[in-house]
Each structure stands twice: as structure tokens, then as C-alpha cells.
Amino acid sequence: MKREIINRFGRSVLKVLNQLGCSMKLKKSYKLLIAVALEWIILGACKNPLDGFQLLFKEPIEKAKLEIRFSSTTGKLPDNIKLTITGKDADKIVTNLNTKNFKINKEGIIFLAVDPEILPSTQAPITFTIVAEAEGFTKLIKEFTFTGTGNQFYSPRFFNIATPPTGVSANQFKLSANANGEITKSYILKPEQTNKQENALVSVREGTTFLNTQKQVVTGEMDFVIHHFDNRSGISYLPEGGIARNPVDKNNINLPDAFNFSPVASFAAIEISSNKQEVVRSFSKPIAVTFELNPNTVNPDTKAAIKVGDSVPLISYSPYTGVWKVEGNSTIVKNTNTGKLECTAEISYPAYWINGWPRWLCKQGPAFTIKSNFKDVDLSYYCVLVNAKTGNTIASYYINLNNNAVFRLSNMPKETEETRLKLFNFNNIYGGDRNKSIFESSSFNICESKSFSIDVTALPVPPAIELEFDITCPRGKKLDEASIPSQMKTQFSEPGKNQWINMPTITRNATTAKTYMLRIGQKYDLRASTDGGVNWPYKQNNYLIDKKKWAFEILGDELGYCK
């Protein structure tokens, strides 16, 4: 009876759509069709009523894939983002559903892939450029190269020029180069921010030429983007979390140790591209960048506030190559006009340019092997690294407690004293007890490559919830397993918060999975996707988990999954 009601209502919706002059494919679940069609009718539009939804059940491309997750420092994505895919092999790029419908979803995500008919290689790389522009925000542009079937990830942030975050100033300037690629006049560029005490100033000399990746001259109008970050509030924007894992010196020779910064005095990010979307990678003449400095910055070499004559290490990070380089040093001077302390760097390519003192790290420290009764538990548990003498917390982590899992400490400051590791029955999803530890190690040296074990066999295994992809076929038909989607991604959120957390992926060959992140008696917003996470048509809001199974019930015959 229930199915007949669904079917009759679905046929009525189709009739209305046809009368309005819009055609739709019939091999769709009426449950999904009704929801989408009603929303479309309310909006009163016939143009592309499903807007990509008609491709919901195509097999997503999983190789040579680029996942892009846009965000904004304002917390809200800009309206009307213009996305451009350009470059030598732009015509070989498709969505992960093998279409040319390039659209960022409302969560700021888009999945791209190399055309599955093409196999990238070192001998035949696929190179293209992604550009994202929005009015009032600085331009985002990045080149990508695929030399195999491995996947890549890109998570750029939009900075609002008028209202950047505290500690940040941002601006985008227009420069012009003649037919020979030469800048025809000198420019002084400063990203003003009235409520910020320190800033940066960039000087571009007349006659400077900009060069692309192939060392070819870039001509025409240029977008010159500058972000400056002070050391009062801007440090969180250091690239790679501020850890230089495999740095080189100015001669490109590998340094033996990783480092972070203690402290940073000031830094800026410079990015240049043409209106033809060519990325500038170097200059024919050095560009001068002057950094104003916070006078309260402590020089770790002198243990006193910075002063005129102090030397500050200059370090670069290239977002194009991922290379950290110790470039040299800058000398602090006092600007006679402003009275501010400052230093100037002569740079030869766009990058992050950081004035700060390296703090050398141990690349690899002790390893801890877990002994537990856990298996495939998708929760992480809170632990802290503390000073063995004082008990003060040095660092905190969430770690996997599945049996035989290994947790390794790395990139910790070399001067760290003897330490201990403390573990708590407090997980990353629904918490627990952060006051009483369930394990505490003996003292150890953070730089020693020793092995330890963490025995938590006394910790009870939390209850699991089973996820099931339940496709039903009418009597006389059976499931055609070859026709069903290869995967169904699942996520949950606290009701109404729209903060989605991944759960296990259900596959064609494994139509059930377990998660330990949901609890019986709690309500959640739940959703699922069969196209790799582009669309999430299966939704259940404020759903009460009242038993040990959550099933996606799908009428397989109406989707062509039965034979």
C-alpha cells in the first residue's frame, strides 16, 4: 500500500513536469524524484531542473582525481564564485562524474579528474590551472600536474579585502607589462589595514619582467596579490602548520632536521598571475619587500626584545613546489619617518616570505604500539604529552586505539625535556573523561627512536551501529549487483549544525559497515551520497537512533537495480 502511494504520487509529479515542458529520465527512485521535483516546482524553474542530479548514479571517477574544498576566512563562502579551468590540458579535465558541469557545491567542494580515457605519466603529464575569483576577495590560482593516477587535494581560502581576519591585511593590485613583458613604471604596493599595527610594503622596479613556469615572459595586465600577517594574530596562517619538514638551504642542499618557528616576526604571501591566467613563478629583477615588525618580538638569540641591528632569518615556502628554503638573513632598521622597526628582503620569486627564527625539531621520536580489544573502531582518543618534571602539557593528540595500531611522535622541539604520554577515555566524537588518565607512560626522551606499548585491554569496546545499503526488489525479480552504485558515502552531523563527519563507505561488495560514532538514544542528521560526495540526496534529519542498525531503504526496481 505504501509503495503504491509513492508510485502514484511520483507519476503525478512526472505528469506535472511533462505538462510544464520539462523532460526527465524515468529510472529514478520516486522517493528522491518527489523531493527534488517539489523543490523545483516551488522554485518555479524548468531550466536544468535537477542540475547535475540526473547523473547521481553514474560511477564516480576515483583515479587521477583532484578534490578542492574552498573556504573563506569570513566563515561564509563568497557569492557568485567564478571558477575557471585553463592551461595546456584544460580540455582533458572533467568532473568526477565525467561531465563538463563544473560547479562548486554549496559546501565549497568540487571534484575534478583527468578524463578516464587518458592515462597521465611522467612522459605525458597532464597540466592545468584552477582559478577562482569573487568580487571583494583576493584571487585564487594554482597550477596542477598529474603524472600518474594518484589523487590530489587543494584547500584554498578566500580572503575578504575589506574585512580580513585580525592580524591580516590583503589586497590585489593591477600592474601592466608591455609586449616584451616589461613593467613600464615602478610600483609601490601596500595592503592597507587601518586596525593593524604592522604591515608590508612591496617595491617593483621599472623594467622588471615576470616569467612563467617555463621561464617564458608573461605579458599584459597582472593581478598582484599580497597578504601580510603580523605576529600578534596572524601566525595561524603559516603554511603547512608552520612546520618545515624537509627544508633546504639557499643552495638547495637538504638540511638534516625539520624546524618550526620560535618566534615569527612577520611574514607575507605574494602571488602574481596575468589576466590570461598565467602564473608568475619568477622575476628578472629582485622585488623588495619591507616588513614592519612588532617591537615586542623577543629575539631568541639575545633573549631580549628585537632592536636595530638584530639579524632575523629569512625563510621562504613555495606553494607551487612545497619547498621550504632558508634564504639568509635580514637586518632590522628603524624607519625614520614612521619610527617603526622594519627589515627588507630582496626576493626573486612569489612565495611565502617569513622573518622568523627556526626552532629545530626531531624528525622522528618514540613509537607507541596499541594493545587493545578494539578492531576497526572509528573513534580517536585524547592523549597529552607532558613535561615529566612539571606536568605541563607540551602537545595534545587524538589517536587510534585499534589493536596493533602505531602512534609515533615526530617534529618535536629538540630542547624538550623528559616527557610522559597520558591517555584518557575521551574520544573525538562524544567525549568522556579528560581528568582521569587510563594510561601513563614512563619518562622518555622525545628524540629517541624507542618503541613502547600502550596497554588498554581493560578499556571496554564501545557499542557499534550497523549501516546497511538495503535495496529491495519486487517478488519475481532479484538484485542485479553489477548495476548498483560502486559506493555509498555516509555522514552525520549534530541536528541542525550542518557540521558533517564522515562515516564508513558502503560498497557494492560490502553492503554493510559498522560505525562507533553513533549512539543509541541520540538524534542525528544523516545523509548519504552515491556520486563520491558531490550530491547528498539521501537525507534524514533529526533521526533517532533507536536500534543497532541504520538502513538506507531503496526501491531497486525503480532505479534499474533489479532483473
Side-chain angles (χ1 to χ4, degrees):
M1 180 66 180
K2 181 180 178 183
R3 179 179 292 190
E4 179 55 31
I5 291 171
I6 293 171
N7 289 345
R8 276 192 271 125
F9 189 39
R11 286 193 289 270
S12 298
V13 171
L14 280 174
K15 184 177 179 181
V16 172
L17 295 175
N18 289 329
Q19 287 174 347
L20 290 172
C22 300
S23 61
M24 299 180 68
K25 294 183 179 180
L26 296 179
K27 285 177 67 176
K28 294 282 177 272
S29 166
Y30 282 126
K31 289 183 180 178
L32 300 179
L33 172 62
I34 291 165
V36 175
L38 283 177
E39 181 180 357
W40 165 70
I41 290 170
I42 291 168
L43 293 174
C46 271
K47 184 178 179 181
N48 194 11
L50 296 181
D51 197 16
F53 185 85
Q54 68 273 16
L55 298 170
L56 182 63
F57 300 107
K58 289 190 78 170
E59 294 289 333
I61 300 168
E62 293 297 335
K63 294 181 179 180
K65 183 176 71 173
L66 171 62
E67 178 180 345
I68 305 177
R69 290 181 175 266
F70 292 99
S71 63
S72 170
T73 56
T74 65
K76 180 182 180 298
L77 283 174
D79 296 324
N80 303 317
I81 297 173
K82 180 185 177 184
L83 181 71
T84 305
I85 301 173
T86 186
K88 179 175 70 70
D89 297 312
D91 60 322
K92 299 178 179 65
I93 302 304
V94 296
T95 69
N96 72 321
L97 298 178
N98 201 12
T99 76
K100 292 288 186 177
N101 182 25
F102 301 118
K103 184 177 179 181
I104 303 167
N105 72 14
K106 64 181 181 180
E107 295 174 10
I109 301 169
I110 185 170
F111 295 94
L112 305 176
V114 177
D115 187 318
E117 299 297 319
I118 298 169
L119 183 63
S121 66
T122 305
Q123 293 74 30
I126 300 298
T127 301
F128 59 98
T129 301
I130 298 294
V131 188
E133 297 173 280
E135 186 174 352
F137 292 79
T138 50
K139 177 180 179 180
L140 297 170
I141 184 167
K142 187 170 175 64
E143 295 174 315
F144 293 91
T145 299
F146 281 83
T147 57
T149 57
N151 296 330
Q152 298 186 37
F153 182 80
Y154 177 43
S155 56
R157 284 182 289 208
F158 283 99
F159 282 83
N160 188 298
I161 295 172
T163 57
T166 303
V168 181
S169 50
N171 214 333
Q172 183 167 315
F173 302 92
K174 293 290 185 183
L175 280 64
S176 293
N178 61 24
N180 296 321
E182 295 179 343
I183 301 299
T184 54
K185 65 175 185 178
S186 297
Y187 290 88
I188 303 295
L189 311 174
K190 188 175 184 179
E192 293 287 355
Q193 187 62 26
T194 54
N195 61 354
K196 189 158 159 281
Q197 297 182 58
E198 290 87 37
N199 218 318
L201 183 145
V202 178
S203 302
V204 183
R205 299 185 180 97
E206 179 181 351
T208 301
T209 57
F210 293 150
L211 307 173
N212 63 17
T213 306
Q214 291 76 36
K215 302 294 184 183
Q216 298 168 334
V217 169
V218 180
T219 63
E221 191 174 77
M222 304 288 170
D223 292 313
F224 199 113
V225 176
I226 306 172
H227 298 102
H228 175 259
F229 307 86
D230 66 23
N231 73 348
R232 301 172 189 269
S233 305
I235 301 305
S236 61
Y237 295 98
L238 280 167
E240 303 291 321
I243 299 177
R245 290 174 174 82
N246 294 290
V248 299
D249 66 14
K250 63 182 180 181
N251 298 314
N252 294 314
I253 297 173
N254 291 329
L255 294 172
D257 296 309
F259 65 82
N260 60 9
F261 294 90
S262 181
V264 169
S266 180
F267 71 103
I270 293 175
E271 193 171 71
I272 310 169
S273 58
S274 74
N275 58 356
K276 298 187 289 289
Q277 313 304 2
E278 285 187 273
V279 176
V280 172
R281 293 288 296 275
S282 60
F283 325 127
S284 64
K285 297 181 180 180
I287 287 176
V289 183
T290 299
F291 301 85
E292 296 176 341
L293 305 176
N294 176 358
N296 296 319
T297 303
V298 174
N299 182 337
D301 296 333
T302 64
K303 305 295 190 296
I306 57 172
K307 63 183 184 302
V308 172
D310 279 3
S311 182
V312 186
L314 177 66
I315 293 153
S316 69
Y317 171 79
S318 170
Y320 311 110
T321 64
V323 172
W324 290 87
K325 181 183 287 190
V326 178
E327 301 273 356
N329 293 278
S330 301
T331 301
I332 297 176
V333 300
K334 188 171 185 177
N335 187 307
T336 55
N337 295 319
T338 65
K340 293 184 176 183
L341 296 178
E342 61 185 31
C343 62
T344 299
E346 296 278 330
I347 68 172
S348 57
Y349 54 91
Y352 283 83
W353 291 89
I354 304 161
N355 295 286
W357 288 265
R359 178 171 62 172
W360 300 100
L361 309 175
C362 309
K363 280 190 176 180
Q364 189 167 293
F368 297 83
T369 301
I370 306 298
K371 293 176 63 178
S372 74
N373 296 316
F374 287 26
K375 181 181 179 182
D376 299 326
V377 174
D378 51 356
L379 296 170
S380 297
Y381 286 76
Y382 180 72
C383 68
V384 293
L385 185 69
V386 299
N387 184 302
K389 294 179 181 178
T390 66
N392 294 333
T393 298
I394 298 169
S396 61
Y397 310 89
Y398 280 92
I399 66 173
N400 174 357
L401 291 188
N402 286 308
N403 192 42
N404 292 322
V406 176
F407 168 62
R408 184 179 293 278
L409 291 168
S410 61
N411 295 320
M412 297 300 298
K414 284 192 170 187
E415 69 268 20
T416 304
E417 298 179 22
E418 289 287 300
T419 58
R420 293 177 184 266
L421 191 72
K422 299 172 70 174
L423 176 67
F424 299 84
N425 186 9
F426 184 99
N427 67 61
N428 60 324
I429 301 299
Y430 49 83
D433 185 352
R434 291 179 75 163
N435 296 315
K436 184 180 179 181
S437 62
I438 58 174
F439 169 86
E440 184 170 344
S441 75
S442 57
S443 297
F444 58 87
N445 186 303
I446 199 67
C447 290
E448 290 180 334
S449 296
K450 288 186 175 181
S451 295
F452 299 88
S453 65
I454 298 177
D455 189 339
V456 287
T457 50
L459 185 66
V461 179
I465 300 295
E466 186 174 299
L467 310 176
E468 184 177 18
F469 190 5
D470 186 12
I471 304 175
T472 60
C473 292
R475 185 174 300 175
K477 290 190 176 183
K478 63 179 181 179
L479 182 64
D480 180 8
E481 294 185 359
S483 68
I484 66 175
S486 62
Q487 62 175 230
M488 176 178 277
K489 292 182 179 294
T490 60
Q491 293 182 336
F492 76 95
S493 169
E494 289 187 48
K497 291 194 175 180
N498 206 37
Q499 296 174 347
W500 297 100
I501 298 173
N502 289 326
M503 291 190 294
T505 296
I506 300 169
T507 67
R508 179 184 294 146
N509 299 321
T511 57
T512 62
K514 282 185 179 180
T515 182
Y516 296 81
M517 293 189 282
L518 305 180
R519 293 193 293 173
I520 292 177
Q522 299 295 315
K523 290 183 177 181
Y524 304 93
D525 290 344
L526 304 167
R527 68 181 187 176
S529 169
T530 58
D531 62 5
V534 179
N535 300 287
W536 298 88
Y538 300 95
K539 294 181 181 178
Q540 291 176 302
N541 291 330
N542 207 32
Y543 182 83
L544 175 65
I545 302 292
D546 57 0
K547 53 184 179 295
K548 293 184 177 181
K549 179 184 286 189
W550 176 44
F552 298 92
E553 297 179 357
I554 299 171
L555 303 181
D557 197 37
E558 291 157 3
L559 290 162
Y561 297 162
C562 302
K563 61 181 179 180

